């Protein structure tokens, strides 16, 4: 470049050009890093309609947003640095002091903490409805202050299904916005915006990224809600890195393939668990006996890998020992990655407003992409530790 040949080495090192038009074409998009966006004219600096600063996202984030907007059939998709910030960012965008949220009692516990903490300080109140409440029962709870109904279906700990289309239609009539945490369906198995919901949120950390190594969140919205989210996400300044956006785009390539495998394996494990003597019941809406089966069959096109199992009564210690004995199921929070996970969830149910109890301990399983036979063998040896524990307890009782 002639400009470069005229200046000193120090300047040349700083101004060496990056010719964008020389990018080679690859199957994946380029990862474009940049805070400053170089503009051709002074007029362009103050053109509100254009990208003039990197925080709002450059080409890599835009590629991801377009793909997620189309996946959720939304007007616009907004990215956040985690699923939780997608939830808190959406609530901040839609709510004002004096407003009230009606939330399903199955919501993700950090959502509950945000409502009780930050939003309560800002003058927003929250009430919880029972996941079994239908649209009419929720309508009866609406007051002039109600602004948002927050749903999660199925609940990610206890798998209750809500009649989302009926609740969304009722809310629309009442002038209330509906928001759903759609992480379980990964934007594929259920399309909330097609059923009248205003905002569909996902923790992209789970299935979209899919490899337990990236945090990211999505709020996909239509109409008025999309306008409010656009203004609020610009004001609050949440940003995701182009590298993480690239990882999410890569996850999308295999999302449907992975989900199909997770779902088929989860159904196989669920059916197997139903026939085990240590298992009282299995929570999976694809099972015909599941209380949410009819709604699931009507609204969803499949299941993901997340299911629940209520065990026959056993001590907390015995359940801990059983979960710790599993070799292929990791012990840890989160889900949606390629690997299987198992946790006891009873402590998390204590936060609910409507007390929930089951006849035995509740386990949550994430069925990963391992061989189903190996996973079933691992669960069988885990369940064996429970019956061994029963035997030793009976012996102790007999001896005492
Ligand atoms: C994990 C999870 C979130 C939060 O997502 P992060 O990306 O971990 O912040 C929200 N909702 C549900 C249902 C989740 O499982």
């Amino acid at each position: 470049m002639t400009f470069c040949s005229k200046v000193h080495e120090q300047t040349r090192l700083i101004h060496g050009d990056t010719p964008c038009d020389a990018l080679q074409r690859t199957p994946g998009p380029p990862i474009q890093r940049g805070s400053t966006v170089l503009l051709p004219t002074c007029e362009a600096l103050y053109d509100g309609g254009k990208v003039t600063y990197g925080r709002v996202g450059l080409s890599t984030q835009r590629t991801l947003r377009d793909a997620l907007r189309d996946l959720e059939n939304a007007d616009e998709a907004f990215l956040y640095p985690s699923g939780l910030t997608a939830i808190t960012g959406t609530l901040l965008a839609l709510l004002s002091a004096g407003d009230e949220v009606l939330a399903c009692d199955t919501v993700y516990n950090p959502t509950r903490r945000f409502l009780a903490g930050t939003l309560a300080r800002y003058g927003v109140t929250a009430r919880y409805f029972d996941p079994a409440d239908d649209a009419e029962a929720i309508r009866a709870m609406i007051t002039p202050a109600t602004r948002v109904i927050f749903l999660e279906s199925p609940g990610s700990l206890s798998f209750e299904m809500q009649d989302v289309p009926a609740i969304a239609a009722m809310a629309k009539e009442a002038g209330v916005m509906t928001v759903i945490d759609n992480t379980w369906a990964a934007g594929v198995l259920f399309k909330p915006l097609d059923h009248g919901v205003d905002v569909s949120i996902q923790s992209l950390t789970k299935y979209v990224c899919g490899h337990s190594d990236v945090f990211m969140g999505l709020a996909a919205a239509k109409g008025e809600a999309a306008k409010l989210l656009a203004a609020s996400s610009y004001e609050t300044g949440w940003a995701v890195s182009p590298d993480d956006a690239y990882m999410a785009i890569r996850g999308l390539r295999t999302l449907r393939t992975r989900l199909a495998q997770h779902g088929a394996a989860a159904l196989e494990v669920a059916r197997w668990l139903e026939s085990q003597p240590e298992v009282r019941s299995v929570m999976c809406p694809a099972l015909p006996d599941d209380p949410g089966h009819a709604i699931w069959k009507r609204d969803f096109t499949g299941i993901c890998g997340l299911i629940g199992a209520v065990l026959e009564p056993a001590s907390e210690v015995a359940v801990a020992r059983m979960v710790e004995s599993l070799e292929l199921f990791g012990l840890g929070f989160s889900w949606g990655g390629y690997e299987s996970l198992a946790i006891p969830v009873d402590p998390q149910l204590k936060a609910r407003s409507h007390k929930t109890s089951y006849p035995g301990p509740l386990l949550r399983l994430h069925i990963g992409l391992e061989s189903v036979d190996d996973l079933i063998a691992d669960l069988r040896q885990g369940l064996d530790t429970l019956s061994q524990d029963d035997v030793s307890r009976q012996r102790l009782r007999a001896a005492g």
Side-chain angles (χ1 to χ4, degrees):
M1 184 195 243
T2 49
F3 164 73
C4 280
S5 63
K6 276 187 280 177
V7 297
H8 294 95
E9 183 178 81
Q10 182 177 347
T11 304
R12 201 158 66 234
L13 288 174
I14 288 171
H15 282 273
D17 214 352
T18 321
C20 279
D21 52 3
L23 287 177
Q24 310 302 318
R25 223 177 134 236
T26 50
I31 297 176
Q32 189 184 15
R33 289 186 154 275
S35 51
T36 296
V37 173
L38 295 173
L39 299 161
T41 61
C42 289
E43 199 188 0
L45 277 174
Y46 303 105
D47 180 346
K50 296 251 164 61
V51 173
T52 54
Y53 193 45
R55 189 174 54 216
V56 302
L58 302 174
S59 64
T60 322
Q61 292 95 328
R62 188 67 253 176
T63 302
L64 176 60
R65 288 177 65 184
D66 290 350
L68 291 168
R69 180 198 60 212
D70 293 350
L71 182 71
E72 294 267 6
N73 298 328
D75 289 345
E76 187 52 285
F78 303 91
L79 299 175
Y80 297 84
S82 66
L84 182 56
T85 45
I87 294 168
T88 60
T90 298
L91 291 172
L92 286 172
L94 303 185
L95 294 161
S96 306
D99 287 347
E100 181 192 54
V101 179
L102 297 180
C104 184
D105 212 13
T106 57
V107 291
Y108 183 60
N109 272 344
T111 304
R112 191 186 303 271
R113 279 201 295 274
F114 182 71
L115 287 166
T118 308
L119 281 188
R121 278 197 289 114
Y122 288 2
V124 173
T125 53
R127 279 187 296 148
Y128 293 88
F129 54 87
D130 194 294
D133 285 346
D134 63 9
E136 287 318 303
I138 300 168
R139 191 201 297 273
M141 290 176 72
I142 291 177
T143 69
T146 309
R147 170 88 171 138
V148 165
I149 294 176
F150 197 104
L151 304 167
E152 186 177 317
S153 177
S156 66
L157 294 174
S158 45
F159 304 90
E160 300 89 342
M161 299 290 303
Q162 284 135 51
D163 189 341
V164 174
I167 296 169
M170 175 281 292
K172 201 141 280 173
E173 259 174 51
V176 174
M177 290 207 185
T178 44
V179 176
I180 192 166
D181 185 331
N182 194 34
T183 302
W184 192 88
V188 170
L189 309 172
F190 179 53
K191 308 279 184 186
L193 302 188
D194 290 353
H195 295 278
V197 172
D198 294 292
V199 185
S200 174
I201 293 173
Q202 271 192 69
S203 166
L204 303 174
T205 310
K206 307 291 163 58
Y207 285 112
V208 169
C209 291
H211 293 70
S212 311
D213 53 6
V214 180
F215 274 104
M216 204 182 294
L218 162 73
K222 259 185 173 168
E224 178 64 15
K227 288 193 193 124
L228 291 170
L229 279 166
S232 183
S233 69
Y234 186 70
E235 287 167 22
T236 52
W238 290 121
V240 308
S241 79
D243 306 75
D244 285 348
Y246 183 92
M247 295 305 272
I249 292 165
R250 190 163 81 164
L252 285 174
R253 316 286 187 204
T254 56
L255 178 63
R256 291 188 68 100
T257 312
R258 285 183 286 112
L259 273 176
Q261 172 66 24
H262 282 290
L267 189 58
E268 204 174 325
V269 173
R271 288 200 179 114
W272 175 82
L273 281 168
E274 277 192 314
S275 64
Q276 303 309 300
E278 297 86 352
V279 177
R280 176 73 66 108
S281 62
V282 178
M283 293 169 168
C284 170
L287 293 174
D289 289 345
D290 190 277
H293 182 69
I295 290 177
W296 171 81
K297 206 169 166 191
R298 186 192 64 192
D299 297 342
F300 283 61
T301 54
I303 59 166
C304 69
L306 199 69
I307 58 174
V310 179
L311 302 177
E312 290 292 345
S315 71
E316 215 172 291
V317 174
V319 174
R321 213 174 300 135
M322 182 244 153
V323 172
E324 289 161 9
S325 82
L326 298 172
E327 289 179 351
L328 297 177
F329 286 80
L331 176 50
F333 289 113
S334 200
W335 44 284
Y338 53 83
E339 81 290 12
S340 293
L341 295 167
I343 53 167
V345 298
D346 293 288
Q348 292 189 57
L349 300 174
K350 294 198 175 96
R352 291 197 177 172
S353 306
H354 301 266
K355 290 305 158 203
T356 312
S357 69
Y358 299 100
L362 176 56
L363 283 189
R364 187 178 74 177
L365 301 176
H366 179 251
I367 307 304
L369 301 176
E370 302 93 336
S371 142
V372 188
D373 292 344
D374 292 340
L375 294 178
I376 286 177
D378 196 25
L379 288 171
R380 188 54 257 165
Q381 73 76 26
L383 293 172
D384 286 344
T385 69
L386 279 181
S387 30
Q388 279 156 18
D389 195 74
D390 270 356
V391 171
S392 55
R393 248 187 302 149
Q394 277 159 14
R395 279 209 200 103
L396 274 179
R397 234 180 275 135

